[in-house]
Amino acid sequence: MSKKSHAIRDYMTDSPHTIGSEQPLTKAHELMRDHNIRHLPVLHGGQLAGMVTLRDLHLVETLKDVDPSMVKVEEAMTTEPYVVAPAALLKDVALEMAERKLGSAIVVDGKKVVGVFTTVDALRALADAI
């Protein structure tokens, strides 16, 4: 990697899978398992409403008397995910994720979710650099 700045769009996972806020946790698990992912942007009415992670699902499902087929994604999601623009600099996003101990950033162009940048993507960027 040269000294020039790199945009997050160059390292993000394009066109990420998303899930509706009204969907049950079982559907989120199914999507994550089928696509080998751990982060799902959550949409409500086509707009970003939050982020649900595999860790979020496991946490809620360990609660007593919780039926994952009856609990909605909106009850397990983070309502204020870290959101960045496609032009955000890789360095800035990586530093912010490290500082806040975040596993992902949702990449939004206007109001449209266009990507997800995860720690796995960050490791690929690091591998490119060394």
Side-chain angles (χ1 to χ4, degrees):
M1 197 180 310
S2 66
K3 291 266 185 191
K4 73 177 190 147
S5 299
H6 292 278
I8 208 71
R9 76 169 60 88
D10 299 329
Y11 297 94
M12 70 183 188
T13 299
D14 291 315
S15 305
H17 295 280
T18 61
I19 191 163
S21 61
E22 302 287 317
Q23 293 292 316
L25 297 186
T26 51
K27 181 65 176 174
H29 255 302
E30 180 184 315
L31 274 170
M32 289 180 185
R33 186 174 47 251
D34 290 352
H35 300 288
N36 195 29
I37 56 176
R38 295 178 295 152
H39 302 85
L40 280 172
V42 179
L43 304 180
H44 183 80
Q47 300 296 311
L48 181 64
M51 168 74 88
V52 68
T53 67
L54 190 56
R55 186 175 181 200
D56 296 331
L57 297 180
H58 287 311
L59 179 66
V60 171
E61 291 169 353
T62 60
L63 300 174
K64 189 175 179 175
D65 299 325
V66 169
D67 178 354
S69 66
M70 300 302 291
V71 178
K72 294 178 181 176
V73 167
E74 66 188 354
E75 296 177 61
M77 72 182 188
T78 300
T79 56
E80 295 184 17
Y82 180 40
V83 176
V84 299
L89 298 180
L90 172 64
K91 176 183 175 185
D92 296 341
V93 174
L95 285 172
E96 184 72 14
M97 287 174 63
E99 180 70 27
R100 294 173 50 189
K101 294 179 173 51
L102 300 173
S104 64
I106 301 174
V107 185
V108 176
D109 190 1
K111 292 187 175 188
K112 181 176 172 28
V113 173
V114 296
V116 173
F117 180 78
T118 67
T119 53
V120 172
D121 298 316
L123 289 170
R124 286 190 183 111
L126 177 61
D128 283 351
I130 54 177

Coordinates of all heavy atoms in Angstrom, one line a residue, residues 47-89:
Q47 N -35.2 1.9 5.0 CA -34.1 2.7 5.6 C -33.4 2.0 6.7 O -33.9 1.2 7.4 CB -34.8 4.0 6.2 CG -35.6 4.8 5.2 CD -34.8 5.4 4.2 OE1 -33.7 6.0 4.4 NE2 -35.2 5.3 2.9
L48 N -32.1 2.4 6.8 CA -31.3 1.8 7.8 C -31.8 2.1 9.2 O -32.1 3.2 9.6 CB -29.8 2.3 7.7 CG -28.8 1.7 8.7 CD1 -28.6 0.2 8.5 CD2 -27.5 2.5 8.6
A49 N -32.0 1.0 10.0 CA -32.6 1.1 11.3 C -31.6 0.7 12.4 O -31.7 1.0 13.6 CB -33.9 0.3 11.5
G50 N -30.6 -0.1 12.0 CA -29.6 -0.6 13.0 C -28.8 -1.7 12.4 O -28.7 -1.9 11.2
M51 N -28.1 -2.4 13.3 CA -27.2 -3.5 12.9 C -27.4 -4.7 13.9 O -27.6 -4.4 15.1 CB -25.8 -3.1 13.0 CG -24.7 -4.2 12.9 SD -24.6 -4.9 11.2 CE -23.3 -3.8 10.5
V52 N -27.5 -5.9 13.4 CA -27.6 -7.0 14.3 C -26.4 -7.9 13.9 O -26.1 -8.1 12.8 CB -29.0 -7.8 14.2 CG1 -29.1 -8.5 12.8 CG2 -29.1 -8.8 15.3
T53 N -25.8 -8.4 15.0 CA -24.6 -9.3 14.8 C -24.9 -10.7 15.4 O -25.9 -10.8 16.2 CB -23.4 -8.7 15.6 OG1 -23.6 -8.7 17.0 CG2 -23.1 -7.3 15.1
L54 N -24.1 -11.6 15.0 CA -24.2 -12.9 15.6 C -24.1 -12.9 17.1 O -24.8 -13.6 17.8 CB -23.1 -13.9 15.0 CG -23.2 -15.3 15.3 CD1 -24.6 -15.9 14.8 CD2 -22.1 -16.1 14.6
R55 N -23.2 -12.1 17.6 CA -23.1 -11.9 19.1 C -24.4 -11.4 19.7 O -24.8 -11.9 20.8 CB -21.9 -10.9 19.3 CG -21.6 -10.8 20.8 CD -20.4 -9.9 21.0 NE -20.1 -9.8 22.4 CZ -19.4 -8.9 22.9 NH1 -18.8 -8.0 22.2 NH2 -19.1 -8.9 24.2
D56 N -25.0 -10.4 19.0 CA -26.3 -9.9 19.6 C -27.3 -11.1 19.7 O -28.1 -11.2 20.6 CB -26.9 -8.8 18.6 CG -26.1 -7.6 18.5 OD1 -25.4 -7.3 19.5 OD2 -26.1 -6.9 17.5
L57 N -27.4 -11.9 18.6 CA -28.4 -13.0 18.6 C -28.1 -14.0 19.7 O -29.0 -14.4 20.4 CB -28.3 -13.7 17.2 CG -28.7 -12.9 16.0 CD1 -28.6 -13.8 14.8 CD2 -30.1 -12.3 16.1
H58 N -26.8 -14.3 19.9 CA -26.5 -15.3 21.0 C -26.8 -14.7 22.3 O -27.3 -15.4 23.2 CB -25.0 -15.6 20.9 CG -24.6 -16.5 19.8 ND1 -25.3 -17.7 19.5 CD2 -23.7 -16.5 18.8 CE1 -24.8 -18.3 18.4 NE2 -23.8 -17.6 18.0
L59 N -26.6 -13.4 22.5 CA -26.9 -12.8 23.8 C -28.4 -12.9 24.1 O -28.7 -13.3 25.2 CB -26.4 -11.3 23.8 CG -26.7 -10.5 25.1 CD1 -25.8 -11.1 26.2 CD2 -26.3 -9.1 24.9
V60 N -29.2 -12.5 23.2 CA -30.6 -12.5 23.4 C -31.1 -13.9 23.6 O -32.0 -14.2 24.5 CB -31.4 -11.8 22.3 CG1 -32.9 -12.0 22.4 CG2 -31.1 -10.3 22.2
E61 N -30.6 -14.8 22.8 CA -31.1 -16.2 22.9 C -30.7 -16.9 24.2 O -31.2 -18.0 24.5 CB -30.6 -17.0 21.7 CG -31.2 -16.5 20.4 CD -30.6 -17.0 19.1 OE1 -29.5 -17.7 19.2 OE2 -31.2 -16.8 18.1
T62 N -29.7 -16.4 24.9 CA -29.3 -17.0 26.2 C -30.2 -16.6 27.3 O -30.2 -17.2 28.4 CB -27.9 -16.7 26.6 OG1 -27.7 -15.3 26.7 CG2 -26.9 -17.2 25.6
L63 N -31.1 -15.6 27.1 CA -32.0 -15.1 28.1 C -33.1 -16.2 28.3 O -33.5 -16.9 27.4 CB -32.7 -13.8 27.7 CG -31.7 -12.6 27.5 CD1 -32.5 -11.5 26.9 CD2 -31.0 -12.3 28.8
K64 N -33.5 -16.4 29.6 CA -34.5 -17.4 29.9 C -35.8 -17.1 29.2 O -36.2 -16.0 29.1 CB -34.6 -17.4 31.4 CG -35.5 -18.5 31.9 CD -35.5 -18.5 33.4 CE -36.4 -19.7 33.8 NZ -36.5 -20.0 35.2
D65 N -36.4 -18.2 28.8 CA -37.8 -18.1 28.2 C -37.8 -17.3 26.9 O -38.9 -16.7 26.5 CB -38.8 -17.6 29.2 CG -39.0 -18.4 30.4 OD1 -38.8 -19.7 30.3 OD2 -39.2 -17.9 31.5
V66 N -36.7 -17.2 26.1 CA -36.7 -16.5 24.9 C -36.9 -17.6 23.7 O -36.1 -18.5 23.6 CB -35.4 -15.7 24.7 CG1 -35.3 -15.2 23.2 CG2 -35.4 -14.6 25.6
D67 N -37.9 -17.3 22.9 CA -38.1 -18.2 21.7 C -37.6 -17.4 20.5 O -38.3 -16.4 20.1 CB -39.6 -18.5 21.6 CG -39.9 -19.4 20.4 OD1 -39.0 -19.6 19.5 OD2 -41.1 -19.8 20.2
P68 N -36.5 -17.7 19.9 CA -36.0 -17.0 18.8 C -36.9 -16.8 17.6 O -36.8 -15.9 16.8 CB -34.7 -17.7 18.3 CG -34.4 -18.6 19.5 CD -35.7 -18.9 20.2
S69 N -37.9 -17.7 17.5 CA -38.8 -17.6 16.4 C -39.9 -16.5 16.6 O -40.6 -16.1 15.8 CB -39.5 -18.9 16.1 OG -40.3 -19.3 17.1
M70 N -40.0 -16.1 17.9 CA -41.0 -15.1 18.3 C -40.4 -13.7 18.6 O -41.1 -12.7 18.6 CB -41.7 -15.6 19.6 CG -42.4 -16.9 19.4 SD -43.7 -16.9 18.1 CE -44.9 -15.8 18.8
V71 N -39.1 -13.6 18.7 CA -38.4 -12.3 19.0 C -38.0 -11.7 17.7 O -37.4 -12.4 16.8 CB -37.2 -12.5 19.9 CG1 -36.4 -11.2 20.1 CG2 -37.6 -13.2 21.2
K72 N -38.3 -10.4 17.5 CA -38.0 -9.7 16.3 C -36.6 -9.2 16.3 O -36.0 -8.9 17.4 CB -39.0 -8.5 16.1 CG -40.4 -9.0 15.9 CD -41.3 -7.8 15.7 CE -42.7 -8.2 15.5 NZ -43.6 -7.1 15.5
V73 N -36.0 -9.0 15.1 CA -34.6 -8.5 15.0 C -34.5 -7.2 15.7 O -33.5 -6.9 16.3 CB -34.2 -8.4 13.5 CG1 -33.0 -7.6 13.3 CG2 -34.1 -9.8 12.9
E74 N -35.5 -6.3 15.6 CA -35.4 -5.0 16.2 C -35.2 -5.0 17.7 O -34.7 -4.1 18.3 CB -36.6 -4.2 15.9 CG -37.9 -4.7 16.5 CD -39.1 -3.9 15.9 OE1 -39.0 -2.9 15.2 OE2 -40.2 -4.3 16.3
E75 N -35.5 -6.2 18.3 CA -35.3 -6.3 19.8 C -33.9 -6.7 20.1 O -33.5 -6.6 21.3 CB -36.3 -7.3 20.3 CG -37.8 -6.9 20.2 CD -38.8 -7.9 20.6 OE1 -38.7 -8.2 21.8 OE2 -39.6 -8.4 19.8
A76 N -33.1 -7.1 19.2 CA -31.7 -7.6 19.4 C -30.7 -6.6 18.8 O -29.5 -6.7 19.1 CB -31.5 -9.0 18.9
M77 N -31.1 -5.8 17.9 CA -30.2 -5.0 17.1 C -29.6 -3.8 17.9 O -30.2 -3.3 18.9 CB -30.9 -4.4 15.8 CG -31.9 -3.3 16.1 SD -32.7 -2.8 14.5 CE -33.6 -1.4 15.1
T78 N -28.5 -3.3 17.4 CA -27.9 -2.0 17.8 C -28.6 -0.9 17.0 O -28.6 -1.0 15.8 CB -26.4 -2.0 17.6 OG1 -25.8 -3.1 18.3 CG2 -25.8 -0.7 18.0
T79 N -29.2 0.0 17.7 CA -30.0 1.1 17.0 C -29.1 2.2 16.5 O -29.6 3.0 15.7 CB -31.1 1.6 17.9 OG1 -30.5 2.1 19.1 CG2 -32.1 0.6 18.3
E80 N -27.9 2.3 17.0 CA -27.0 3.4 16.5 C -25.7 2.8 16.0 O -24.6 3.0 16.6 CB -26.8 4.4 17.6 CG -28.0 5.2 18.0 CD -27.8 6.3 19.0 OE1 -26.7 6.7 19.2 OE2 -28.8 6.7 19.6
P81 N -25.7 2.1 14.9 CA -24.5 1.5 14.4 C -23.5 2.6 13.8 O -23.9 3.7 13.6 CB -25.0 0.6 13.2 CG -26.2 1.3 12.7 CD -26.8 1.9 14.0
Y82 N -22.3 2.2 13.7 CA -21.3 3.1 13.1 C -21.5 3.1 11.6 O -21.4 2.1 10.9 CB -19.9 2.6 13.5 CG -18.7 3.4 13.0 CD1 -18.7 4.8 13.0 CD2 -17.6 2.7 12.5 CE1 -17.7 5.5 12.5 CE2 -16.5 3.5 12.0 CZ -16.6 4.9 12.0 OH -15.5 5.6 11.5
V83 N -21.8 4.3 11.1 CA -22.1 4.5 9.7 C -21.0 5.5 9.1 O -20.7 6.5 9.7 CB -23.5 5.1 9.5 CG1 -23.8 5.4 8.1 CG2 -24.5 4.2 10.1
V84 N -20.6 5.1 7.9 CA -19.6 5.9 7.2 C -20.0 6.0 5.7 O -20.8 5.2 5.2 CB -18.2 5.3 7.3 CG1 -17.7 5.3 8.7 CG2 -18.1 3.9 6.6
A85 N -19.4 7.0 5.0 CA -19.6 7.2 3.6 C -18.6 6.4 2.8 O -17.6 6.0 3.4 CB -19.5 8.7 3.3
P86 N -18.9 6.0 1.6 CA -18.0 5.2 0.8 C -16.6 5.9 0.6 O -15.6 5.2 0.5 CB -18.7 5.1 -0.6 CG -20.1 5.3 -0.3 CD -20.2 6.3 0.9
A87 N -16.6 7.2 0.7 CA -15.3 8.0 0.5 C -14.5 8.1 1.8 O -13.4 8.6 1.8 CB -15.6 9.4 -0.1
A88 N -15.1 7.6 2.9 CA -14.4 7.7 4.2 C -13.0 7.0 4.1 O -12.9 6.0 3.4 CB -15.2 7.1 5.3
L89 N -12.0 7.6 4.7 CA -10.7 7.0 4.6 C -10.5 5.7 5.5 O -10.9 5.7 6.6 CB -9.6 8.0 5.0 CG -9.6 9.3 4.2 CD1 -8.5 10.2 4.7 CD2 -9.3 8.9 2.7

